[in-house]
Amino acid sequence: MPTYSYRCTACDNAFDIHQQFADASLTECSSCGGQLRKVFGNLGVTFNGTGFYRNDSRSASKPVSSSSASESGGTTSGT
Ligand SMILES: [Zn+2]
């Protein structure tokens, strides 16, 4: 049974509830009668624009010494 997180927009009351997939979504706060909003995922995670720094991890795994590798490979055929 999936767990849904709701949050009241009026009193800021957040709670989790076990619902069937076919069950209707809750729209009214049980404590204050305000409007509920369904919350997906973690509350602390927010994706605002470009928040990822992928260039940082890519440059770290990139091989830097490419000139020295080709240099030593060319001088081995001399016998
Ligand atoms: Zn409320």
Side-chain angles (χ1 to χ4, degrees), residues 4-44:
Y4 294 101
S5 299
Y6 286 92
R7 187 168 193 165
C8 179
T9 57
C11 70
D12 214 32
N13 174 35
F15 60 92
D16 295 335
I17 190 171
H18 295 277
Q19 279 189 302
Q20 296 283 354
F21 191 74
D23 279 355
S25 301
L26 297 176
T27 54
E28 199 171 286
C29 180
S30 57
S31 58
C32 78
Q35 189 178 4
L36 288 178
R37 279 188 63 178
K38 192 180 269 187
V39 180
F40 295 98
N42 292 327
L43 292 171

Side-chain angles (χ1 to χ4, degrees), residues 1-2 25 29 41 54 56 62 69 77:
M1 192 178 292
S25 301
C29 180
R54 288 184 180 175
D56 228 23
K62 199 176 181 180
S77 56

